[in-house]
Amino acid sequence: IKHPLQNCWTLWYYENDRSQTWEKNQKEIASFQTVEDFWSLYNHIKPASELRQGNDYSLFKRGIRPMWEDEANKRGGRWLINLDKKQRTNELDRYWLDIILCLIGEAFEHSDEICGAVVNIRGKGDKIGVWTSDATKSAAVIEIGKKLKERLHIPPRTVLGYQIHKDTQDKSGSVTKNSYTV
Ligand code: M7G
């Protein structure tokens, strides 16, 4: 008998094809709701560090699309981990796996607020975001940020910022302001 997870999760892959819209480039790969099915999927796909630049993986609760526009995301935001170039070899895959395990293992007190997570492979520096559904729920957002930082062993001096999707969408300059930090 397989070990059930509390939620069913869907893995998405974004391939940067400039002849298509952003939304069309998001492809559902597979869903799983047991520990065993997670590991068979994980062991079968390329690690994030081997994706081509410009591409993403996203892992979201079933029924939530990995985009700002989804009903579950539109009032939300993300905790953002910005990696520098040398962290792709050292840390990216470990961070991404640890985040997946926090999500599917429901490691947060406010796991209900979690929508999913995204890893962006980018030449200017990779990014990992953990998406929550309501940016006004400050206690939940902060608990998730603190737990994330602790579980990933991110040094205390490294500041993580939470950015509201609406701000990311509307940003005029190149940086989005942080609404919370831990
Ligand atoms: P990104 O891939 O999140 O980061 O956003 P990057 O700038 O490091 O590559 C790049 C672009 O993809 C955005 O400016 C949007 O045009 C598009 N995009 C990204 N996201 C997360 C969304 C989304 O949720 N919805 C839509 N419609 N477009 C998005």
Side-chain angles (χ1 to χ4, degrees):
I1 189 155
K2 297 191 208 174
H3 298 80
L5 298 170
Q6 192 156 318
N7 279 290
C8 179
W9 297 86
T10 304
L11 181 72
W12 298 73
Y13 174 58
Y14 173 90
E15 189 162 54
N16 189 15
D17 171 355
R18 281 155 207 272
S19 70
Q20 288 288 348
T21 64
W22 184 90
E23 285 199 29
K24 281 209 168 135
N25 284 333
Q26 285 287 359
K27 304 270 163 55
E28 252 186 83
I29 301 186
S31 296
F32 58 86
Q33 51 188 336
T34 68
V35 174
E36 290 80 359
D37 291 345
F38 162 66
W39 286 114
S40 26
L41 175 60
Y42 183 81
N43 290 329
H44 177 82
I45 58 172
K46 276 187 193 174
S49 60
E50 286 175 29
L51 294 184
R52 240 187 250 272
Q53 300 203 9
N55 297 352
D56 309 331
Y57 278 138
S58 302
L59 185 75
F60 276 74
K61 286 177 181 166
R62 180 174 56 188
I64 305 180
R65 290 163 308 141
M67 42 193 84
W68 306 316
E69 294 86 350
D70 193 277
E71 186 58 35
N73 295 321
K74 67 184 192 193
R75 286 168 223 89
R78 64 172 174 180
W79 282 108
L80 185 60
I81 302 171
N82 282 301
L83 302 176
D84 58 41
K85 287 181 188 170
K86 56 179 187 293
Q87 287 178 296
R88 186 178 298 167
T89 11
N90 304 333
E91 272 142 344
L92 176 72
D93 292 329
R94 178 181 74 77
Y95 279 168
W96 179 238
L97 177 58
D98 283 354
I99 285 175
I100 293 175
L101 296 177
C102 284
L103 263 51
I104 71 178
E106 312 282 336
F108 309 101
E109 254 167 74
H110 294 91
S111 283
D112 285 357
E113 284 297 309
I114 298 277
C115 297
V118 180
V119 56
N120 305 118
I121 304 304
R122 298 289 183 275
K124 63 193 176 207
D126 305 326
K127 292 177 284 184
I128 301 179
V130 173
W131 290 33
T132 75
S133 72
D134 187 342
T136 66
K137 293 196 174 156
S138 52
V141 170
I142 288 167
E143 184 262 331
I144 290 167
K146 284 186 172 158
K147 183 74 52 71
L148 204 57
K149 195 164 165 179
E150 178 187 304
R151 292 283 294 253
L152 300 188
H153 306 291
I154 293 174
R157 66 173 184 283
T158 304
V159 174
L160 296 189
Y162 182 92
Q163 302 166 355
I164 296 174
H165 295 319
K166 277 262 148 40
D167 294 339
T168 307
Q169 260 171 292
D170 301 344
K171 77 181 170 197
S172 42
S174 63
V175 282
T176 303
K177 72 167 196 281
N178 291 327
S179 293
Y180 306 99
T181 54
V182 292

